[in-house]
Amino acid sequence: MSEKEQIHTAAPLPANSSAAQSHSPQSPVSSNDDIERPSAKPEEDQPPNGGYGWVCVACCFWINGSTWGINSTYAVFLAYYLSHNYFPNTSALAYAFIGGLSISMAMLVAPLATKCTSTFGTKVTLHVGIFFETLSLIGASFATEKYQLILAQGACFGLGMGFLFVGSVGIIPQWFTTKRSIANAVAAAGSGCGGLIWSLSTQAMIDNLGLPWAFRILGILSFTINLICSNILRDRNAQVGARNKSLDWSLMKRPEFWLVQAWSWFSMLGYVTVLFSLPSYARQIGLSAQQGSIIGAIFNLGQMLGRPCIGLASDRFGRINLAAFLTALCGVFCLVFWIPAELVGSPMGLLTFFSVVGGALAGTFWTTIAPVGAEVVGIRDLGSALSWTWLIMVPPVTCAEAIALEIRRFEAVDFVYVNAQVFCAVSYIAGGLVMWVLRGWKIGEVEEMERLKDREERQRAQQSSALKMQHADEKGRTYNPGGAEGAMLAREVSAISARKKAWNLRDLLRRMMKVQIV
């Protein structure tokens, strides 16, 4: 998801990051409320936009590093499993399933973790996650059978990662307003930083201390880091009136929502494949285990450097624009730089370049899913939309690496991984094309909303003129048809109308080619 990365909202997830990392929905105060009850929202309820919030950013950074970052090191474990017969009679398919299972369990447990946060509070949720993650790593160190490894490093680790991610991902938006994008981006970069650190150290621990002690040291260190951060972290749930939304079935009736889900599927098929396959691919083409772990670490370095840049650029150039372009570009880079790596005289150099640039692009989904979701369904329904997204993502994150390993050319001497590489590239390009269609819809929605707004203003001006003439003898009287509730209902009706009219296929292709920030 490795990434947690990057999903971000206080609702069920998988929470970033991007977001993958995201914005916590807050109910706006209508202008009528401000007039009638000027003191209804005390000044101290406004986000401080910094202060202790930066401490919370640091805590989320290291929690991401000690969850999604450690999960990224499964690429190192996978390369070791495939080259050693440590668990006899265990197939490559079974090993691939473990890495996907940890991410899918984190997604699947999101609703339960959200309910735990609502009922028992943030700290309890984080401590539950610490318990399961520590248990998984220590338990994996004593595993002697493949089913024990699947339960420990797969299912149990995913449970811990899910509780920690859901419990922490919605806190940062509560502390920031204008600096929210950079704060979320910095926290999301923690997964890349953690992956960089843990990938290098895990390979060194395996080489010098053996597999069991590598697991135990990871368990002890992650327990310490997560425990410190979870007790320093502070939420502002009471101040902002945060609420956890349940799954909203009405979203399933919206075609644009399904385009977002298609994007998530294609992105995860590509992301999990490249994340877990790079180190084992490096060993396949003749590089050492140490070089393979370095390639995996550099890939995480690319994520660490790329995610903040993507988060900031999306606000300037458009969230959907950037998500579509960078998702497709990642697929192109897989074709141009990853596949030819074993043809060049220095494959390590080309793989290093691909790991930096590809790593920056590969996690685009995690960085942009929350802001893209807000653009598509609105901030009020973002929590429920992300909840659906995490659940719908379970199949691709579970099966992506298994598919990649099964379609390898086992009988070949060269280009053993070429089918997996093409599969990864095509998945990313397909995701970019889906987002380009969504971009056309969004431009149409914006155009329709502007048209409806102009018509509404003309009608309001006509009504106002007529009523002023009718009540000219009543001093001080103003007319507000329907009041605040009527105005809100009218806006909702207009939004629904614009959403549906934006699917006019006659104009969709024209809008897809239009230059506009969305």
Side-chain angles (χ1 to χ4, degrees):
M1 116 202 118
S2 110
E3 296 328 298
K4 359 166 220 133
E5 320 38 313
Q6 359 285 91
I7 244 109
H8 315 286
T9 181
L13 314 173
N16 231 68
S17 5
S18 227
Q21 327 208 324
S22 105
H23 301 283
S24 177
Q26 299 181 20
S27 301
V29 182
S30 68
S31 58
N32 276 13
D33 288 340
D34 289 339
I35 294 173
E36 295 171 8
R37 297 185 300 277
S39 62
K41 290 288 181 184
E43 195 67 28
E44 60 267 25
D45 284 354
Q46 297 301 316
N49 206 37
Y52 198 82
W54 291 113
V55 177
C56 295
V57 169
C59 291
C60 290
F61 178 95
W62 287 111
I63 287 176
N64 285 332
S66 299
T67 50
W68 296 102
I70 290 180
N71 185 72
S72 297
T73 65
Y74 187 72
V76 176
F77 286 109
L78 179 61
Y80 180 83
Y81 295 149
L82 293 177
S83 59
H84 295 74
N85 191 28
Y86 193 85
F87 294 93
N89 301 320
T90 302
S91 65
L93 181 62
Y95 287 133
F97 176 71
I98 295 172
L101 180 62
S102 63
I103 302 177
S104 62
M105 284 300 299
M107 304 294 101
L108 197 61
V109 78
L112 177 61
T114 302
K115 181 63 177 177
C116 180
T117 301
S118 176
T119 305
F120 302 107
T122 299
K123 278 189 170 53
V124 172
T125 302
L126 295 175
H127 289 164
V128 170
I130 294 170
F131 170 78
F132 279 113
E133 181 171 325
T134 306
L135 178 65
S136 73
L137 294 170
I138 300 300
S141 71
F142 295 100
T144 56
E145 302 290 340
K146 66 179 178 181
Y147 79 90
Q148 297 171 341
L149 190 68
I150 291 172
L151 291 176
Q153 195 173 11
C156 192
F157 187 87
L159 285 173
M161 185 165 64
F163 273 90
L164 281 162
F165 180 55
V166 174
S168 63
V169 73
I171 293 178
I172 292 177
Q174 299 174 354
W175 287 90
F176 294 90
T177 52
T178 59
K179 299 176 182 178
R180 183 176 293 171
S181 292
I182 185 60
N184 279 327
V186 170
S191 60
C193 179
L196 171 66
I197 296 171
W198 297 123
S199 293
L200 294 175
S201 57
T202 297
Q203 185 63 58
M205 287 186 283
I206 292 175
D207 293 340
N208 294 286
L209 301 174
L211 185 67
W213 273 106
F215 276 122
R216 291 163 194 161
I217 294 173
L218 282 177
I220 294 170
L221 291 176
S222 66
F223 171 82
T224 304
I225 294 171
N226 287 328
L227 187 64
I228 293 173
C229 291
S230 65
N231 286 313
I232 295 177
L233 199 61
R234 295 180 188 171
D235 63 52
R236 302 184 72 252
N237 291 336
Q239 292 90 329
V240 302
R243 53 179 180 173
N244 297 312
K245 296 185 178 181
S246 59
L247 300 176
D248 184 358
W249 286 93
S250 66
L251 294 175
M252 295 299 190
K253 302 177 183 178
R254 299 171 59 171
E256 62 273 14
F257 178 72
W258 281 107
L259 285 180
V260 175
Q261 303 316 306
W263 173 53
S264 74
W265 266 60
F266 287 126
S267 295
M268 288 303 99
L269 288 173
Y271 177 78
V272 174
T273 297
V274 66
L275 175 70
F276 291 151
S277 295
L278 266 179
S280 56
Y281 167 79
R283 300 195 67 173
Q284 176 68 41
I285 64 174
L287 300 182
S288 67
Q290 183 64 30
Q291 288 175 311
S293 68
I294 291 174
I295 291 297
I298 293 174
F299 183 84
N300 284 288
L301 174 64
Q303 294 195 74
M304 181 181 70
L305 298 177
R307 290 187 180 188
C309 297
I310 292 174
L312 293 176
S314 66
D315 288 335
R316 179 173 182 179
F317 300 107
R319 283 83 181 252
I320 298 178
N321 286 347
L322 211 68
F325 175 70
L326 295 183
T327 300
L329 184 62
C330 185
V332 174
F333 270 57
C334 289
L335 294 174
V336 175
F337 297 109
W338 189 12
I339 293 179
E342 57 188 291
L343 293 177
V344 300
S346 176
M348 184 66 182
L350 185 56
L351 274 183
T352 299
F353 172 78
F354 171 73
S355 297
V356 173
V357 181
L361 299 176
T364 297
F365 171 83
W366 296 107
T367 309
T368 58
I369 176 57
V372 166
E375 293 288 339
V376 174
V377 304
I379 194 68
R380 295 178 63 189
D381 294 322
L382 178 60
S384 184
L386 289 178
S387 298
W388 278 118
T389 300
W390 311 139
L391 292 177
I392 294 172
M393 276 169 47
V394 169
V397 299
T398 305
C399 301
E401 181 62 9
I403 294 172
L405 291 183
E406 283 298 297
I407 61 177
R408 288 178 300 170
R409 301 168 67 235
F410 295 97
E411 75 288 350
V413 177
D414 299 321
F415 294 102
V416 174
Y417 273 78
V418 68
N419 291 337
Q421 292 166 318
V422 172
F423 170 71
C424 177
V426 170
S427 296
Y428 271 118
I429 293 173
L433 293 176
V434 166
M435 288 300 289
W436 207 253
V437 176
L438 181 69
R439 177 183 181 275
W441 166 84
K442 183 61 181 180
I443 292 175
E445 184 194 38
V446 172
E447 291 177 352
E448 290 295 328
M449 285 297 294
E450 291 176 351
R451 186 180 63 81
L452 291 173
K453 183 179 179 181
D454 291 341
R455 187 179 67 179
E456 181 183 345
E457 289 177 351
R458 289 195 300 269
Q459 292 176 346
R460 187 181 296 114
Q462 293 173 357
Q463 290 178 348
S464 178
S465 299
L467 288 168
K468 283 180 180 179
M469 293 178 62
Q470 180 179 350
H471 301 291
D473 57 331
E474 299 181 20
K475 293 183 178 181
R477 178 171 181 176
T478 59
Y479 182 74
N480 184 13
E485 293 183 1
M488 180 177 293
L489 179 60
R491 286 194 295 270
E492 290 179 355
V493 171
S494 296
I496 294 173
S497 175
R499 214 163 49 225
K500 292 180 178 179
K501 289 183 179 180
W503 279 113
N504 185 341
L505 297 180
R506 183 183 62 183
D507 297 325
L508 185 60
L509 288 176
R510 173 185 64 82
R511 289 162 173 166
M512 288 171 61
M513 304 307 297
K514 187 175 181 179
V515 178
Q516 184 170 330
I517 295 178
V518 289

